[in-house]
Amino acid sequence: MSIDIFDNFYRGKRVLITGHTGFKGSWLAIWLHELGAEVIGLALEPFSDRDNFVLSGIGKKIKADLRGDIRDGQNLKDVFQKYQPEIVFHLAAQPLVRLSYDIPVETYEVNVMGSIHVMEAIRITGSVKVAVMITTDKCYENREQLWGYRENEAMGGYDPYSSSKGAAEIAIASWRRSFFHPDKYDSHGKSIASVRAGNVIGGGDWALDRIIPDCIKALEAGKTIDIRSPKAIRPWQHVLEPLSGYMLLAQKMWNEPTKYCEGWNFGPHAESIATVWDVATKVVENYFREPRTKNQEPRLSETNHLSLITNRYLKDLSNPNDLHEAKLLMLDISKAKFQLGWEPRLNINQTVELTVDWYKRYKTEAVNKICLDHIKKFINK
């Protein structure tokens, strides 16, 4: 089955990805390469030798696998001038909330000034027609409200990470109005959008202070999974969900550049919004579950066994004195659904199952093959 749901749009296109060695960036590079795009990646070294980027070998397959810091504006401009990208996906960032408390200045330098340097490189490079700037759902001024945030709501953020992403959104909007205004498209020829996704999970993520890597590392070591914020509610989605949205949006922007150059949310359906504890429970159950034939229900004894395993491996370590992290955060995806024709393909159970499948297979199978298998399964849902 073909993994091309974009009508051959990306074949032959020169696509630059910042942050391609990261979790989301590596999956995007794999998918775009398989679609026939000429992928240029610019990023720091991967976080670990078990990252999806390293194990998949995608760096050896794409047109250019480059190392560089997005805070180096001149290097960015040099890369853009050399490779003349037509489409840019900007994913490079300092992406961790808790780390941002330790390195707040660097977090702002990377997430705000880094994004500005990318936009400046776009501005002086005539070949660039479309740019999708990736931020986060945490860019919104979070009031812990029960309904999802819409694209026109206020930017903000409590912690340095969230507020840096809110500031990046304000900068992106400013550059769009100042230099890439849709009313003046005939003079600049560029379409710029920003996108916000929920809590993205999937195979090959080993970052610190993320629930899936924390779960897998503990399970592989036979240790208890320490849950800091068990009651925190998040919009969980598989990594391929927002990536499919970013790629669809870029295609729409290419075809109608002044219609789609705005902010966009790509989150899950409401039923996939769950607590951290619930997701960790599903991870443990999937990790220890034996493969079953299609449509075969688990036996009662198996269900009881999984429940015992879950109780053994999960530990509530919540502390009221911990650093502040949002307890409730949801996105309204109505705009993407009705204007782009995009909506999630996987529910929360399918999302966790596909995620854990990567971690159960990566030691014994070719990781690039696992990723392509997951993309096919995702498209077939």
Side-chain angles (χ1 to χ4, degrees):
M1 183 186 72
S2 170
I3 63 169
D4 191 352
I5 54 175
F6 307 103
D7 301 321
N8 216 33
F9 169 75
Y10 284 98
R11 183 163 299 280
K13 295 285 195 308
R14 297 188 302 280
V15 182
L16 187 145
I17 305 171
T18 68
H20 72 296
T21 61
F23 167 49
K24 287 171 73 176
S26 66
W27 279 92
L28 180 59
I30 289 167
W31 198 346
L32 285 169
H33 173 73
E34 195 67 17
L35 296 178
E38 295 183 13
V39 178
I40 303 104
L42 176 67
L44 300 177
E45 291 291 343
F47 177 71
S48 81
D49 58 7
R50 293 197 295 175
D51 282 10
N52 189 54
F53 172 82
V54 176
L55 297 183
S56 69
I58 187 60
K60 299 180 180 67
K61 301 175 188 292
I62 60 178
K63 180 180 180 65
D65 173 26
L66 310 173
R67 296 293 171 270
D69 193 317
I70 58 171
R71 292 173 292 180
D72 185 343
Q74 187 56 55
N75 182 58
L76 265 174
K77 291 175 181 177
D78 291 344
V79 169
F80 273 69
Q81 289 302 307
K82 179 176 180 179
Y83 291 97
Q84 294 291 301
E86 299 168 290
I87 300 172
V88 175
F89 291 99
H90 171 49
L91 289 87
Q94 193 297 92
L96 302 174
V97 172
R98 287 170 65 86
L99 181 60
S100 75
Y101 283 103
D102 296 330
I103 53 168
V105 175
E106 183 177 337
T107 297
Y108 259 75
E109 287 173 345
V110 173
N111 293 348
V112 183
M113 288 309 302
S115 297
I116 289 173
H117 284 311
V118 170
M119 289 188 291
E120 283 295 274
I122 289 167
R123 186 154 75 100
I124 67 165
T125 308
S127 62
V128 179
K129 295 181 173 60
V130 168
V132 178
M133 311 288 289
I134 287 81
T135 63
T136 175
D137 58 348
K138 297 174 183 65
C139 67
Y140 292 106
E141 180 62 50
N142 189 9
R143 302 180 180 89
E144 308 276 343
Q145 63 191 31
L146 294 175
W147 51 92
Y149 292 94
R150 295 178 177 175
E151 287 86 347
N152 59 356
E153 296 199 53
M155 297 293 115
Y158 182 106
D159 54 87
Y161 167 74
S162 302
S163 62
S164 74
K165 287 295 194 175
E169 283 281 359
I170 292 171
I172 293 164
S174 171
W175 256 250
R176 181 166 49 232
R177 287 190 295 261
S178 301
F179 307 113
F180 311 123
H181 200 290
D183 289 348
K184 299 178 180 178
Y185 177 78
D186 288 343
S187 63
H188 58 72
K190 302 181 191 303
S191 182
I192 312 294
S194 63
V195 294
R196 306 123 194 190
N199 271 45
V200 176
I201 63 176
D205 182 13
W206 297 101
L208 300 173
D209 292 327
R210 284 186 182 161
I211 188 60
I212 300 300
D214 287 352
C215 286
I216 299 300
K217 283 183 277 191
L219 291 170
E220 288 186 344
K223 296 181 179 179
T224 301
I225 302 166
D226 297 331
I227 311 293
R228 291 193 320 273
S229 303
K231 296 180 180 179
I233 299 170
R234 296 285 187 270
W236 307 95
Q237 57 189 151
H238 192 272
V239 61
L240 296 174
E241 300 277 28
L243 294 185
S244 69
Y246 305 165
M247 294 163 74
L248 175 63
L249 174 61
Q251 181 184 18
K252 298 270 190 182
M253 292 165 69
W254 183 281
N255 293 329
E256 296 183 79
T258 62
K259 184 176 180 180
Y260 298 100
C261 50
E262 303 171 342
W264 299 87
N265 290 340
F266 295 101
H269 287 306
E271 56 268 26
S272 289
I273 297 169
T275 66
V276 173
W277 187 270
D278 287 342
V279 167
T281 298
K282 293 178 188 296
V283 170
V284 175
E285 289 176 348
N286 276 278
Y287 192 82
F288 288 107
R289 178 175 291 143
E290 294 297 327
R292 296 191 301 272
T293 59
K294 189 176 182 180
N295 299 325
Q296 178 185 349
E297 292 297 322
R299 298 183 301 275
L300 181 60
S301 59
E302 179 188 353
T303 303
N304 290 339
H305 177 60
L306 292 175
S307 178
L308 290 172
I309 289 175
T310 301
N311 291 334
R312 172 188 170 190
Y313 276 95
L314 297 183
K315 185 177 182 180
D316 182 349
L317 280 191
S318 53
N319 182 343
N321 297 318
D322 273 348
L323 295 170
H324 177 274
E325 292 187 71
K327 296 293 184 288
L328 174 63
L329 186 59
M330 295 182 285
L331 292 174
D332 186 319
I333 59 172
S334 302
K335 182 179 174 183
K337 180 177 179 180
F338 293 112
Q339 295 188 25
L340 297 178
W342 175 92
E343 61 180 318
R345 294 168 179 259
L346 307 177
N347 60 37
I348 184 66
N349 291 326
Q350 293 167 326
T351 294
V352 175
E353 182 180 358
L354 202 59
T355 296
V356 174
D357 182 69
W358 189 99
Y359 291 101
K360 291 171 75 170
R361 296 168 60 185
Y362 82 97
K363 291 183 179 179
T364 58
E365 298 181 40
V367 167
N368 193 68
K369 180 181 178 297
I370 298 172
C371 293
L372 294 177
D373 178 45
H374 283 193
I375 294 172
K376 291 174 184 175
K377 288 180 178 178
F378 168 75
I379 290 172
N380 199 37
K381 292 297 183 182

